[in-house]
Every structure is written in structure tokens, then in C-alpha cells.
Amino acid sequence: MAEYSIMQPMRRFSGSETQSHALPKVARASGCYVTDTNGKQYIDGSGGPAVFSLGHTHPEVNAAIEEQLGRIAHGYRYSFTSDALERLTELIQHQAGPGFEHIVFVTGGSEAMESALKIAMQYHWTLGEPSRKRFIARKRSYHGNTLGALAVSEFLQRREPYEGALTECSFVSSANNYRLPEGVAESQLHDYLADELEQEILRHGPENVAAFVIEPVVGAAGGVVPAPEGYAMKIREVCDRHGVLLIADEVMCGAGRCGTWRALEHDGIKPDIMTMAKGLGGGYVPLGAAIYSSRIGEPIFAKSGGPNTGHTFTGHTLACAGAAAVQEIIVRDKLVERVRVKGVQFQENLKDRIGDVEAVGDIRGRGFFVGVELVSNRETKEPFSPELMMFDRIRRHAMEVGLICYPAGGTLDGTRGDVVILAPPYIASDDELEEIIAKFDRTLRSAVEDV
Ligand SMILES: Cc1ncc(COP(=O)(O)O)c(C=O)c1O
């Protein structure tokens, strides 16, 4: 085992950056299992970081990628379109339904968010409102690590060196049933949040606000936080009232992960612009997409011929071929429906198994996107002391028992708060789902005992 640090080991970040311990070297994988170079096997209980929707080395996806590579790796966007690009476009439009006519394909989630922010600004500029340049986003949400995506992410440690150079953005409360704003009852939460958003728009002047950015189900920054029922409709109304666009970041929660292909389908609304990445290419190819309606696209195309965004690898042919194969299998094998049905059972079985562990404060999520929030006191919901680095303990214990899960730290305020994310591949069998729960149970109990 080599000592290998992913990023700065001295700093305490949420998510995967605090991996200062020795990492095993990956050798190969198949389905839900990953094997390291020592021959140790791990069950992938989090699809990496909620990426591997079809598990690993799916023969049909691999064959599609090889077949494309044998023809051409990439047809550059100013010279060619391709079967792969067109097929993936059709599949996304089919899965997303009306209101998602235009797509910019990029190489990942941050670029997808970058594109979404630019499309929002260009839309307003096109309609003669160039002052609409600032954004509103939510606390404890993450949208990526490029300058624009970081500007709308409330991730203090990652932002710190760049403060002053980031696009203007202000942050409203996160939409979290388990951790309510002070003095707000659960039944009042969506009204409180909608009103807070409206006041924030009015404070800056609607003529200066381009878009409100949300993760429909918050990923690693908050630890799988679905917004309360009714919330999405309320904020959609507020945005419409003030000509503010709604950007849904479905990089982590989308592409079927939550049991609907678009996470916001569950909430009965459509955003103006939606981003996807991780599960779209299922980890086989680096791919992200900013997907938007013809209402947004038509004026942009009429004035400028298209959005002023794109890169060398925009619509990369090989990436599109891999993602098209992933999405075709998801449609053919009805995997989104499977995630919806099995997800309910998975959460129930998990609750039965670990519900008695005192450190479990909350178990929540949708589909195959589940968060287990750990607390030192169930009554007061007091988090563990950050010095204990509970999330990292969980990661280490899990790797020991042969489980890949996704523990996130700092989920409460950037420093405190530990949530473990479980996000199995959509193809996980009942036995594999049971194995993930059993191994997580062992992990949790031994990590808590270790404190
Ligand atoms: C919700 C969300 N948006 C955007 C991103 C950025 O995606 P990427 O890491 O592919 O650039 C992430 C990554 O974790 C994410 O979880």
C-alpha cells in the first residue's frame, strides 16, 4: 500500500479530500464488486461518489465504447455531428420529456454548471436585461470546483483563496427537514424558505438576479437532503414572479438515482436549466450536460446562433457513445422503476438494521440515494466533535470490512456534521443490497465503538 494523499491532507474538508491515510491500489472490478491489487474485494455501496449506475465493466457498455473507438474517438463539434451524439440527445430528450429540448455536452459536473450559469446570463442579456448577472443559491450545497460553479457553492474552505474573484452569489437557508431554521416548524418550512428567497431577490433587485440554483436532493455538501414536499412548487412560483430562472443541479441526484430520471420529477416541476453528470455516463466516460428548454434556447439561438459556451471536447463522440449505451440499458431494463421500488425497501431494511444505533440521528433519501446522519446525541441532534473525524473513521472501517461507501464531513456548517451516503448501483441484486446493509451495520458499530 502506498501513502497517497488525494489533496491537502492537513485541511478538513467535506467529502473526499481528507484521505491522508494509505489507499489500496485498485486492480479491477465487475458488477457491484471492486478488487484491489492484494486481491481484497469490496462491494460498491456508493457507486463511487454516486456515479456507477450500472456497476463496473458492464460488457455492453464496454463493447459500445470499443466499437466507437474502432470507428473514431471524436468528431470535433465544428466539423461533424455523430450517431453517438444524436443517439444520446434523443435518449435524454426521451427520458427528460418536454421542456428539455437543448443540450450542451461537456466533460463533467462543474463544466455543466459553468454552462448553466452562462446560459442563464446569456438568456437575460439576449432579452435586453444584461444587469441580471448575480445568482442566489442555498447554503450547504455544492455545484463544482471551477470558478463559476464554486461561486454558487457554499463551500467556504474551497472558496477561500478565490474570494473577491467569484461571480456574485448570495445564499439562502438549506431546505432540510431534519435541521429546521430556528423557530420554524416543519409544516411552515416551505413557506418560510419561499419567503426568504423572495426577500433575497427583492433585496438585490430582481433586475440584477439571473437565477436561483438548487440541488433538488442535496448531495455530499449536506448529506442527501431531499427538500420538503411542496417546496419546489413554491420556489418555482417565486422565481417566475420575478423573472428569475431556476437551475436544477442534478449532477449527483439525477439520471435515475432518486427513482425518477429527473430528481425534480418527484416534485412536479421543471427547471429552466438542468445539469447532469455522474450517473449520465455511469462512470465509464467523463461526461456532463446542461439541458435547457426551448423557451430559454430560442431567443439565444435567434440572436447569437447558440449559447456562447463549449470546449474542445464538447459532445465528445466516445463519451457520448458510452453514455448512450448506459442510458439505453437503463431504459431497456427499466432500471429507474427498479430503483424507485427497491429504494423504498433498501431504506426500510437499513432502518431495521441500524435504527437502534444511538449515533444514528436520521436516515433519509430517495431511491438509491440514502444518507445516514450521525449525531453524538439523538435528542439534541448534536453532531460529533469535528476532531473525531467520524466520517473518515467510517470510511476506514468500511474499507476494512470490504465496503465502499461515501462518508461526508462538515455537512452541518462546513466543519461539523457527518453523513454517510449509500448509493448502490441500480443493478444491485437483493443479495447485494443486503450485503451492503450488513457490511454498513458492521462498519457503523465498530466505528462508533472505536470513538
Ligand atoms: C451536485 C454536484 N454538482 C456539481 C458537481 C461537480 O461535478 P464534477 O466533480 O464532475 O465537476 C458535483 C460533484 O461532486 C456535485 O455533487
Side-chain angles (χ1 to χ4, degrees):
M1 271 193 195
E3 274 294 328
Y4 181 68
S5 161
I6 297 259
M7 283 178 98
Q8 299 107 318
M10 302 309 292
R11 301 290 302 274
R12 202 174 170 284
F13 291 132
S14 147
S16 61
E17 294 176 15
T18 339
Q19 294 175 337
S20 55
H21 55 277
L23 295 177
K25 194 184 281 187
V26 75
R28 62 187 173 280
S30 174
C32 292
Y33 294 92
V34 179
T35 308
D36 70 19
T37 47
N38 292 323
K40 179 165 180 172
Q41 205 180 52
Y42 308 81
I43 189 159
D44 194 348
S46 64
V51 167
F52 295 101
S53 39
L54 291 186
H56 302 269
T57 57
H58 195 294
E60 289 173 83
V61 181
N62 283 1
I65 292 171
E66 277 167 31
E67 202 269 335
Q68 181 61 57
L69 200 52
R71 290 204 275 156
I72 183 169
H74 183 34
Y76 180 52
R77 68 183 169 130
Y78 287 140
S79 311
F80 296 105
T81 178
S82 65
D83 285 342
L85 175 70
E86 290 174 14
R87 181 71 189 125
L88 182 60
T89 303
E90 278 169 15
L91 280 159
I92 290 177
Q93 287 168 343
H94 167 76
Q95 293 286 69
F100 299 93
E101 287 76 22
H102 298 278
I103 308 175
V104 176
F105 288 109
V106 289
T107 60
S110 300
E111 269 187 16
M113 283 306 295
E114 209 68 32
S115 308
L117 302 177
K118 288 172 76 183
I119 290 165
M121 287 196 260
Q122 190 176 347
Y123 169 78
H124 293 302
W125 173 82
T126 301
L127 295 191
E129 289 195 279
S131 61
R132 285 191 185 261
K133 289 278 189 310
R134 53 178 310 133
F135 293 89
I136 301 175
R138 291 190 316 213
K139 293 178 184 163
R140 301 316 311 149
S141 258
Y142 178 62
H143 302 289
N145 223 353
T146 50
L147 282 176
L150 193 58
V152 295
S153 302
E154 204 247 0
F155 199 145
L156 303 178
Q157 296 94 330
R158 282 194 189 174
R159 292 170 61 100
E160 217 179 340
Y162 317 107
E163 288 295 356
L166 300 171
T167 298
E168 290 199 75
C169 180
S170 54
F171 297 92
V172 290
S173 306
S174 47
N176 186 340
N177 269 332
Y178 181 64
R179 295 200 177 270
L180 298 165
E182 215 175 308
V184 179
E186 199 172 331
S187 59
Q188 303 166 330
L189 184 59
H190 54 358
D191 284 332
Y192 170 89
L193 294 169
D195 185 55
E196 187 192 22
L197 172 63
E198 187 147 36
Q199 295 312 316
E200 191 63 13
I201 293 172
L202 294 172
R203 191 166 77 84
H204 293 291
E207 69 281 7
N208 297 316
V209 182
F212 179 42
V213 184
I214 59 164
E215 280 180 86
V217 178
V218 177
V224 188
V225 187
E229 296 297 327
Y231 167 84
M233 295 238 186
K234 294 262 172 188
I235 53 127
R236 178 75 264 187
E237 281 164 24
V238 171
C239 288
D240 289 346
R241 208 157 34 241
H242 298 289
V244 170
L245 300 186
L246 180 64
I247 298 177
D249 176 349
E250 299 216 359
V251 165
M252 199 164 186
C253 61
R257 171 67 48 206
C258 289
T260 48
W261 197 74
R262 294 188 299 111
L264 267 185
E265 244 174 280
H266 173 97
D267 305 273
I269 66 151
K270 291 177 185 174
D272 298 294
I273 308 170
M274 168 173 74
T275 56
M276 286 207 179
K278 300 181 193 278
L280 188 60
Y284 289 82
V285 286
L287 186 78
I291 308 165
Y292 55 105
S293 66
S294 46
R295 178 175 85 88
I296 305 300
E298 269 166 20
I300 292 179
F301 276 86
K303 185 175 168 93
S304 312
N308 273 1
T309 190
H311 313 269
T312 302
F313 296 133
T314 290
H316 191 273
T317 316
L318 189 68
C320 289
V326 168
Q327 295 306 319
E328 257 161 13
I329 294 165
I330 286 177
V331 173
R332 183 194 68 198
D333 296 349
K334 299 191 170 41
L335 291 178
V336 178
E337 291 86 328
R338 180 166 200 283
V339 167
R340 186 160 56 237
V341 174
K342 296 282 174 190
V344 174
Q345 207 178 310
F346 180 67
Q347 243 193 84
E348 274 170 14
N349 293 348
L350 188 65
K351 281 179 183 161
D352 286 347
R353 191 68 75 99
I354 61 166
D356 66 309
V357 179
E358 270 301 304
V360 173
D362 194 27
I363 301 175
R364 56 184 178 245
R366 282 192 206 148
F368 278 4
F369 198 31
V370 176
V372 179
E373 179 154 350
L374 305 180
V375 289
S376 64
N377 184 319
R378 264 185 175 175
E379 288 301 306
T380 62
K381 303 184 181 174
E382 183 64 23
F384 280 99
S385 159
E387 280 69 45
L388 292 173
M389 293 187 65
M390 271 308 280
F391 71 99
D392 204 43
R393 265 169 215 264
I394 296 276
R395 188 200 330 269
R396 279 185 280 115
H397 281 262
M399 292 298 274
E400 265 165 44
V401 304
L403 169 70
I404 300 167
C405 58
Y406 187 175
T411 52
L412 181 55
D413 55 13
T415 309
R416 299 175 307 148
D418 303 274
V419 177
V420 188
I421 299 174
L422 294 174
Y426 307 171
I427 50 140
S429 67
D430 289 353
D431 285 350
E432 286 162 342
L433 292 171
E434 181 48 35
E435 182 179 338
I436 291 166
I437 292 176
K439 286 193 165 162
F440 182 59
D441 182 30
R442 277 174 58 199
T443 298
L444 187 61
R445 288 175 203 274
S446 59
V448 169
E449 259 174 35
D450 195 28
V451 173

